[in-house]
Amino acid sequence: MLIVTLIAAPGLARAEPTIGARLAATCAACHGTAGNTQGSTLPRLAGQSQQALSATLHAFKTGQRESTIMTQIAKGYTDEQIELLAAYFAAQKSGGRP
């Protein structure tokens, strides 16, 4: 019985969130869970192309695109973290509004 339990145990463990998902958790307060913003004030990140998301975050980081908040937030991410965030949000299903 112990052997069966040990063999089955890995399948019972919860999947660890990806690094991108962990990074994206900090975005939820403004952009909604998994990038599905409620309302129309802020852009929905879920389902946008990875290239567009990456380009936008890099533009905020370098100051090419100005924002009161996002410029400061983006400066805190490495280029690798920006790519992980962009990949995460691109893979999420959009909740409806474009």
Side-chain angles (χ1 to χ4, degrees), residues 31-94:
H31 291 283
T33 303
N36 279 298
T37 307
Q38 300 299 310
S40 60
T41 305
L42 296 171
R44 180 168 295 208
L45 304 178
Q48 287 192 37
S49 79
Q50 183 174 347
Q51 295 78 14
L53 291 164
S54 176
T56 299
L57 284 170
H58 282 291
F60 282 131
K61 182 177 180 173
T62 62
Q64 291 175 326
R65 183 169 176 180
E66 293 184 18
S67 170
T68 305
I69 296 171
M70 282 306 303
T71 302
Q72 295 305 312
I73 292 171
K75 286 179 182 178
Y77 291 121
T78 65
D79 290 343
E80 179 184 5
Q81 289 172 323
I82 286 175
E83 296 308 318
L84 290 168
L85 278 167
Y88 172 79
F89 285 121
Q92 303 309 301
K93 290 191 186 244
S94 178

Side-chain angles (χ1 to χ4, degrees), residues 14-35:
R14 287 182 34 177
E16 285 291 316
T18 65
I19 295 171
R22 282 189 240 141
L23 290 168
T26 62
C27 308
C30 297
H31 291 283
T33 303

